[in-house]
Amino acid sequence: MSSLTMFNFDLTKSLTKKADPDFMAKIEKIKELEYTKPKNLEDHPSQKLYAEVVVDGKTVAKLYNGGSVETSNAAYGKISKLDSVFDPQGSGPALAQQRAEDIAKALGGTVVMSEDALTPAQWAKVPPVEFEVDYAAMAADAARESAEARDGSAETLVKTQIIATQQNEGAPEEPEEEENSAVDEFLEFASMSYEEKVRAMILKSAGVTEEELAAMSPEERAKIEEKIREKVEEAVNNGEFA
């Protein structure tokens, strides 16, 4: 479960009366998106092999009809800066072909086509991947988080009683633990603008913090900022979180 989910959403029950209903609806939508997964993805034509890049008789990269690439960590370190890998344009066989050619050129290999490779014309007739929300997992996690929250509250109450007893007996106080971090994190998220919330979700899904982004080179940061801007505009225009 991501840290954005772990705002301890059970806390929202006590904040709902004060919270903006539209904001609460967006939170629920974000939660739902985290449990959205493709249906029968392994059987979809996009997941069939398009081509392989071979160097000295060894496969160093696999390209799939959907345009995705699979390679080792060592090989990825050599191709990660390629435009078609880092900042891909388009999708499907056209992207797979461009990536295959770029990777082969960068690594000194050759492109070996697969018998399952689709042409752009064939790809145009492929139905899109269908998605479904795993409501069972969503409910199970919500129940678990609720139970953990109750257990945490009980533990905090016991510690408070112990500290009070020690103070009454003149015993030294235990170091004060950090409290209400979940509430603080929730309120911080709630105070963001709509665009900031979408940006936070995009950075989280990419596994990049604002600090890490700021530490990147100007070129790398500019590329990521541009992708974030495009995704924010797309999310807002399409109403994906509305």
Side-chain angles (χ1 to χ4, degrees), residues 207-220:
V208 178
T209 66
E210 291 285 2
E211 290 75 15
E212 291 170 339
L213 182 64
M216 292 181 179
S217 67
E219 293 79 11
E220 291 180 329

Side-chain angles (χ1 to χ4, degrees), residues 144-166:
R144 176 181 55 77
E145 292 170 15
S146 179
E148 290 176 351
R150 288 195 299 271
D151 292 342
S153 297
E155 181 180 358
T156 300
L157 177 60
V158 171
K159 287 183 177 180
T160 300
Q161 292 173 336
I162 291 175
I163 292 174
T165 300
Q166 291 175 336

Side-chain angles (χ1 to χ4, degrees), residues 19-122:
D20 178 2
D22 290 339
F23 169 69
M24 298 307 298
K26 290 183 176 68
I27 288 293
E28 290 301 318
K29 183 62 175 179
I30 291 173
K31 289 172 61 180
E32 190 173 280
L33 287 173
E34 292 187 5
Y35 289 89
T36 299
K37 61 181 182 180
K39 296 173 59 177
N40 302 321
L41 182 61
E42 63 276 4
D43 297 326
H44 194 267
S46 64
Q47 304 304 299
K48 302 300 182 182
L49 187 66
Y50 176 84
E52 295 178 312
V53 176
V54 179
V55 177
D56 297 330
K58 298 178 63 176
T59 298
V60 297
K62 294 181 178 180
L63 293 303
Y64 296 88
N65 284 318
S68 61
V69 58
E70 175 185 325
T71 186
S72 66
N73 290 337
Y76 183 75
K78 299 177 182 179
I79 66 173
S80 61
K81 302 300 183 182
L82 295 175
D83 286 342
S84 61
V85 175
F86 178 77
D87 189 22
Q89 303 297 317
S91 62
L95 175 59
Q97 182 66 33
Q98 184 63 57
R99 283 178 157 178
E101 293 174 358
D102 291 348
I103 293 172
K105 181 178 180 180
L107 301 181
T110 57
V111 178
V112 179
M113 300 299 296
S114 166
E115 61 181 14
D116 292 322
L118 298 181
T119 65
Q122 291 172 322

Side-chain angles (χ1 to χ4, degrees), residues 29 32 35-37 132-142:
K29 183 62 175 179
E32 190 173 280
Y35 289 89
T36 299
K37 61 181 182 180
E132 61 184 354
V133 180
D134 190 346
Y135 287 107
M138 187 173 176
D141 283 345

